[in-house]
Amino acid sequence: MKNPFGSRRARVYAEAIAAARPSSWGVNWREPLILFSNSLTLAMTREVDARRPFLFLAPSAFCGVLLYFAADDEPSILAPLIGLIPILILIAYALRRPTRELLFFSLVLATILSGFALAAWRTLRVDAPIVSKTTIVIMTGVVQTIDIKADGARLLIKPLSFEGYDDALPDFIRVTMSGVPQFEAGAKLKASVRVLPPPGPVRPGGYDFARDAYFNKIGGVGSLLSKPVILTKNESFSARFDALAMIDRFRNHLAMRIANAIGGQAGAVSAALITGKRGLISEETNEDLRLAGIYHVVSISGLHMVLVAGMIFFLVRLFLVLIPGLALRVNVKIWAALAAMCGAIAYDIFAGSEVATERSLFMTLALFGAILVGRPALSMRNLVIAAFIIIAMEPESLLGPSFQMSFAAVAALIAAYERLPHQASQQQIKDINIKASKISNGLVDRFSSFILRHVKAILLTTFLAELATAPFALYHFQRFQPLGVIGNMFTIPLVEMVAMPAGFIGLLALPFGLDGPVWHFMGYGVSLMLALSHYVAEMPFASVAVPALSVTTLLFVSAGIIWIFLWSTSLRWLGLLPMLIAGVLALATDHPDFYIARDGASVAARGKDGYLHVMGRGVNEFTITQWLAADGDVRSAQDVSVKQGPLCSSSGCVMSGPAHEKVVLGLERDDLEEDCKLASVLITPFYAPRDCDQALVIDRDVVNHYGAVALYRYADAQPTDKTSEKFKLLGARDPNKNRPWIPHAEVLPNSPPPQESVQRAPPDAEAEPLSPR
């Protein structure tokens, strides 16, 4: 009998398994262990024969990137490059010897060091000045992009000068303005602007805007304080800058044209589907799309890229086939694939080349590139190649939800596709067609069969994508949409068959001025999509909130997902072990009793009812939403109960904690001595008095060093313990880290020392106790 595994080694191991299989287990545990070991060996042999271990080189590069971002000090790029030299020698040696294991081990080490080096190189490439402190200046600059919103606009400006500012100018600043801008991208402006460094996370483990801003060369954020004076309507700066400004002008013109032609939120969503400009979409519509699990449709990513490239591929191939004799002389499929790749690149440029769009572009190029060389288009190997390209260009995207969720979803779909039964043979298809042609209503049967297959495909792909992306959605957003399968089943056909084809036709009709009726037709489909999404969002259990997960939990579940998706044999089920560990860690995760803002002027404290209550000044809805989401709280920031409980006045707030601690927020410097006598936990944006040793103090010195702070109660804390001994502190910023995007701790002379309290170091390395200055 022919060996089904395709190698002599596999046959030997199969015979060993057969020899080790006993007729009765009895009490001898050696035989089942031998059987298990040989089964694993056989599975690994099959994986090696299928060259599946190659796929793990991409996760190895991911590890290198993660190691770079985990470093305390900025690494030198020379370190990984020098480390690569002996590894390359080892690879050369392995290639000359039949040592497959040594070769794979060497390649893994090489990809880890390569990922580390690429991340370090990316940091060197984007390094740019950052505003050191909050300041108000008269700015002269050129606008690169404008995102129009319902209540104003957000501008990305290349500053040319800051009057009275002596430090180096940032490459770009992002500012907001009220009202509709009377200028376009490319305009040279002069205005008074309040600019500050990009802020860090609002809570430990939260979204780090400062890091993302650094890699986008945004060195400051703020707002316009005066009406901008337009110096030049279209300032020429550089070829690349002028091209980006021109594209942004066209995108804004087209977005407003579509929005005005359709009207309402259907027009706003339609404009976002085509141009990627989402500023006109209301928060209510955004929330409906999130709860229905279809918010991805308004972010130009894989769905849009595949649809656009697919339509170009189909139309070009159809046109070439219709040319008499051409299909007999050339491979029109290759020409259609080239056209699709060019169209995808043009669409990415038009959409603004955002991270999600670029990632989708690389995957689409890999897909059609496989068609060019005669390889299967949908394969895990193409996904790995796309991952390598993104890591080489934008390694920081590995830390974001867009990269993680997209690649998890695509990997799940490819893994399922690889395990589908083989397609029917040509003879079977011919027999089916003959039988179908004999039926009087064969056309109806075929159409109904097509619809049924389409519905099944949507249900399967949506279920797999939701399942694969759920851990990452829970980590980044603390929310999961269990009804996303229903939402996608209703809305994806409208996007695929109505909205995107109409948008494609509308773009073709735009130069002729005949696009108006097409946008109206597109609006009908989008209006129905919004109605269905609102219906799904109103259903019970449309969204499930969970408390924030730890980084360790995410790493374990990611390892399990990668292991399950990349192997093709029963070996993949070993990936359930790290996922089980992740589940245990998720259940054992502690949740803080206090979230303190990075300026120390506001706090979310847990009350006796077990819920967080917000008090203070200057806290915005985004920060409150992040605090509540991290606690697994479904309340909105506008909920009146969020700010009920604390007793507040102009000088501060006071409330009782779950263990009857007296929590005081001191907002008046002159009252701090009295607050120290009253409080068990004192939080203030000022420096606390030196003799305030009866309370656990979070003051200006602490937030300067740690940024936003969370206080965790020790599980073994006793009521008789001092308050300072009941909590551990975790900061959003590690003062011992020295990375370019992390604002340095502000150490001022003659400031009082921090509390010599919270002496017990927590068991995990992430928590940082308060220590003497």
Side-chain angles (χ1 to χ4, degrees), residues 617 650-652 665-672 675 684-686:
R617 66 187 181 197
S650 59
S651 61
L665 176 64
L667 299 178
E668 286 291 339
R669 191 192 307 268
D670 297 336
D671 296 338
L672 289 182
D675 292 337
T684 177
F686 308 108

Side-chain angles (χ1 to χ4, degrees), residues 247-271:
I247 293 172
D248 189 73
R249 289 196 296 269
F250 177 68
R251 291 175 66 198
N252 281 322
H253 278 296
L254 181 59
M256 296 305 299
R257 184 180 181 91
I258 297 173
N260 293 332
I262 300 175
Q265 284 301 295
V269 174
S270 299

Side-chain angles (χ1 to χ4, degrees), residues 199-211 471-479 546-551 554 589-599 602-604 606 612 619-620 622-633 703 706-712 729-734 766:
V202 300
R203 65 171 181 86
Y207 167 64
D208 193 352
F209 174 76
R211 185 185 61 221
F472 305 99
L474 293 177
Y475 175 79
H476 291 284
F477 310 115
Q478 295 81 51
R479 298 175 73 177
V546 298
L549 303 177
S550 66
V551 176
L554 182 67
T589 301
D590 292 331
H591 305 293
D593 282 350
F594 297 91
Y595 285 112
I596 297 98
R598 50 183 169 250
D599 61 355
S602 55
V603 58
R606 197 173 305 280
L612 292 178
V619 60
N620 53 46
F622 174 78
T623 300
I624 298 177
T625 301
Q626 292 295 303
W627 287 343
L628 295 177
D631 200 51
D633 196 331
V703 296
Y706 295 95
V709 169
L711 295 179
Y712 292 78
L729 179 146
L730 181 64
R733 179 176 66 223
D734 186 346
E766 293 179 352

